[in-house]
């Protein structure tokens, strides 16, 4: 269990980005399987695919500016979920028998905001040389005492 805990702690941002990307993939799959592809319904599918792409691209970004840009794109993408809630509410108002789930679209918003939070919360990546220099510096300071 300790090794699993170390692994999760070491790769926590990566794991969260993978989970967000996987969530977007699941939403896209669900929308395709339920034929949620007519007219404005395509917005959800397109947003899911964009979220999946942003999540995967974010895994390979190392620069802070690039991560900030992707975080902003995630925040903009989260608006699609709010638009979906309004669209579903309109469908339910027009047809009392509508099967449109009222809050289902918010899963897009939640995943997008999760991706943005992960990217904004990530620290500046360090190189192995910088870490090695700090460690050896600490060891030297301890030795001098």
């Amino acid at each position: 269990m300790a090794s699993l805990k170390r692994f999760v702690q070491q790769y926590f941002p990566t794991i969260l980005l993978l989970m967000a990307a996987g969530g977007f993939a699941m939403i896209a799959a669900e929308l395709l399987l339920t034929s949620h592809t007519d007219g404005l319904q395509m917005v959800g599918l397109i947003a899911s695919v964009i979220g999946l792409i942003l999540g995967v691209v974010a895994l390979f970004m190392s620069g802070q500016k690039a991560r900030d840009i992707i975080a902003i794109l995630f925040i903009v993408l989260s608006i699609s979920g709010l638009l979906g809630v309004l669209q579903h509410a309109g469908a339910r108002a027009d047809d009392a028998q509508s099967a449109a789930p009222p809050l289902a679209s918010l899963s897009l918003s939640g995943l997008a905001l999760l991706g943005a939070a992960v990217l904004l919360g990530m620290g500046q990546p360090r190189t192995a040389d910088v870490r090695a220099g700090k460690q050896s510096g600490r060891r030297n300071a301890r030795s001098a005492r």
Side-chain angles (χ1 to χ4, degrees), residues 137-145:
R138 286 184 197 142
R139 286 188 194 128
N140 292 340
R142 287 183 195 147
S143 308
R145 290 182 197 167

Side-chain angles (χ1 to χ4, degrees), residues 61-84:
M61 293 292 113
S62 60
Q64 188 63 44
K65 278 190 176 186
R67 287 197 313 248
D68 288 348
I69 290 169
I70 294 175
I72 290 167
L73 292 174
F74 268 132
I75 292 168
V76 170
L77 182 65
S78 73
I79 295 169
S80 68
L82 299 174
L83 296 175

Side-chain angles (χ1 to χ4, degrees), residues 17-134:
L17 285 172
L18 284 170
M19 291 175 79
F24 282 117
M26 291 296 114
I27 292 171
E30 178 186 13
L31 293 175
L32 286 171
L33 289 172
T34 59
S35 300
H36 197 281
T37 56
D38 294 333
L40 280 177
Q41 293 179 340
M42 284 296 290
V43 172
L45 181 61
I46 292 167
S48 299
V49 171
I50 290 171
L52 172 61
I53 292 168
L54 287 174
V56 171
V57 168
L59 291 170
F60 299 101
M61 293 292 113
S62 60
Q64 188 63 44
K65 278 190 176 186
R67 287 197 313 248
D68 288 348
I69 290 169
I70 294 175
I72 290 167
L73 292 174
F74 268 132
I75 292 168
V76 170
L77 182 65
S78 73
I79 295 169
S80 68
L82 299 174
L83 296 175
V85 168
L86 294 175
Q87 180 65 27
H88 281 193
R92 292 177 67 83
D94 292 342
D95 180 13
Q97 301 296 325
S98 174
L103 301 177
S105 307
L106 289 180
S107 59
L108 281 169
S109 295
L111 287 171
L113 292 174
L114 172 68
V118 170
L119 291 171
L120 293 173
M122 287 175 71
Q124 191 65 9
R126 298 182 199 155
T127 63
D129 295 335
V130 171
R131 282 191 219 143
K134 286 185 179 179

